[in-house]
Amino acid sequence: GAVVSQHPSWVICKSGTSVKIECRSLDFQATTMFWYRQFPKQSLMLMATSNEGSKATYEQGVEKDKFLINHASLTLSTLTVTSAHPEDSSFYICSARVTPRTDTQYFGPGTRLTVL
Amino acid sequence: SQQGEEDPQALSIQEGENATMNCSYKTSINNLQWYRQNSGRGLVHLILIRSNEREKHSGRLRVTLDTSKKSSSLLITASRAADTASYFCATDGRDSSYKLIFGSGTRLLVRP
């Protein structure tokens, strides 16, 4: 099956710093990737849709200047949490849609962000 | 925002028993998918059922879909301790965005 990787798998940073999380599709091209956030013992909340070569589409209530998304190639999307604060601490998960099999999404293993 | 609710929120059963989880959603869908998540890990895709399907099987998994009631159920038969995980349903709407909206999840504990 298709493999999606995320890097780093965990990161601890100081409040006010920016953190970049990478999402890669390893053996397929993904024109669309999705970013989710998950708080402990809660479900996944969709943050944004990342489209290769165009601006990301953010869900209601998600600050686009806070969570910068770049999808520069068909195999890489990045999420940058700018000026991170403790309330941004969460589990961030990406998924990639396999083109042209539109129904199938594959999820990365997630990145645990802890902001001190 | 979340599409819907799952119940129960938590389920504890003995190994060998069957586990049934239910999912309700709010809008029209193209398909509904079930995922499994072990604690602190990513999601594993279990099964996809399309809006024109009523039942689907995969190994020990059986999924039903009732679009008139906007609900789905996941049955795990002959459960094993290794089935302990959180289970989420996710709906793919008819808006062609391919976004998955997740339910609230069921935490399953299978006692050995």
Side-chain angles (χ1 to χ4, degrees), chain B residues 11-52:
Chain B
L11 179 62
S12 178
I13 59 174
Q14 200 71 35
E15 202 165 29
E17 295 180 339
N18 296 341
T20 299
M21 289 159 265
N22 303 295
C23 164
S24 62
Y25 57 92
K26 298 175 182 174
T27 61
S28 296
I29 61 171
N30 274 327
N31 63 64
L32 184 145
Q33 305 180 41
W34 283 91
Y35 288 85
R36 165 197 168 120
Q37 184 182 36
N38 288 78
S39 181
R41 301 289 186 91
L43 273 72
V44 175
H45 183 264
L46 296 177
I47 197 165
L48 179 153
I49 186 165
R50 301 188 189 283
S51 60
N52 61 353

Side-chain angles (χ1 to χ4, degrees), chain A residues 41-112:
Chain A
K41 296 188 178 180
Q42 293 188 23
S43 186
L44 279 74
M45 299 296 292
L46 179 65
M47 298 175 67
T49 303
S50 171
N51 297 298
E52 187 267 336
S54 65
K55 290 183 179 180
T57 304
Y58 291 82
E59 294 299 300
Q60 192 172 9
V62 178
E63 301 173 57
K64 61 181 180 181
D65 295 330
K66 171 77 172 174
F67 300 98
L68 300 179
I69 291 173
N70 184 279
H71 194 153
S73 77
L74 286 171
T75 59
L76 173 64
S77 175
T78 60
L79 168 67
T80 301
V81 183
T82 62
S83 187
H85 291 282
E87 57 266 30
D88 298 323
S89 298
S90 188
F91 194 53
Y92 292 88
I93 305 176
C94 71
S95 72
R97 182 169 70 91
V98 181
T99 308
R101 292 159 51 198
T102 59
D103 288 343
T104 307
Q105 285 189 33
Y106 292 91
F107 283 78
T111 296
R112 174 77 56 194

Side-chain angles (χ1 to χ4, degrees), chain B residues 27-88:
Chain B
T27 61
S28 296
I29 61 171
N30 274 327
N31 63 64
L32 184 145
Q33 305 180 41
W34 283 91
Y35 288 85
R36 165 197 168 120
Q37 184 182 36
N38 288 78
S39 181
R41 301 289 186 91
L43 273 72
V44 175
H45 183 264
L46 296 177
I47 197 165
L48 179 153
I49 186 165
R50 301 188 189 283
S51 60
N52 61 353
E53 297 176 312
R54 292 295 167 259
E55 188 171 311
K56 206 160 183 181
H57 296 254
S58 176
R60 294 184 295 116
L61 305 180
R62 173 177 168 255
V63 168
T64 63
L65 178 64
D66 186 335
T67 52
S68 66
K69 295 181 179 178
K70 290 187 167 60
S71 67
S72 175
S73 68
L74 170 67
L75 168 67
I76 303 175
T77 60
S79 64
R80 306 166 181 167
D83 294 329
T84 294
S86 290
Y87 291 82
F88 297 94

